[in-house]
Amino acid sequence: VILNRVDDARFPASVCEVVNQANARGCQFSYKCDGIAEKVREPAAWSRVAKIAAVMVDGGERALTNGATYYHTKAVSPSWSRVFERTTTIGAHYFYARG
């Protein structure tokens, strides 16, 4: 979702700008403003995801979410989810793109 936003002219043009972009609630991504310090609890998983992130940032194929620029967990139902097209479901998350 972050990299799809970087590629979309409606959003900031860098990963850092997308992650730190503010909205009416204060942030675009709940993990960014939940008040919980980011702490690596599973070093092996962190290492694996860092390798995947490097491939993605370097231009790897991002077909997994079908171009999604929004997502949320199944535990919530934000109003915007009713106006965007759901592109896929992965685990506990729904992914969306603007039509």
Side-chain angles (χ1 to χ4, degrees):
V1 166
I2 292 168
L3 293 176
N4 289 338
R5 286 185 179 198
V6 169
D7 290 345
D8 187 319
R10 295 173 286 200
F11 295 95
S14 76
V15 170
C16 288
E17 290 174 315
V18 166
V19 169
N20 292 303
Q21 184 179 20
N23 66 13
R25 292 184 335 266
C27 59
Q28 293 286 326
F29 300 99
S30 58
Y31 66 82
K32 181 70 178 145
C33 64
D34 62 7
I36 299 170
E38 304 302 326
K39 185 175 180 179
V40 176
R41 299 184 192 281
E42 298 180 45
W46 180 258
S47 177
R48 181 175 181 213
V49 75
K51 291 174 186 173
I52 293 168
V55 168
M56 296 294 97
V57 168
D58 287 341
E61 185 178 341
R62 297 194 305 260
L64 186 63
T65 65
N66 298 314
T69 49
Y70 299 87
Y71 75 101
H72 66 81
T73 71
K74 293 179 179 180
V76 298
S77 182
S79 59
W80 56 259
S81 68
R82 292 184 280 286
V83 296
F84 294 153
E85 175 187 349
R86 186 178 301 168
T87 62
T88 194
T89 302
I90 302 172
H93 293 87
Y94 294 128
F95 293 81
Y96 301 84
R98 287 184 178 179

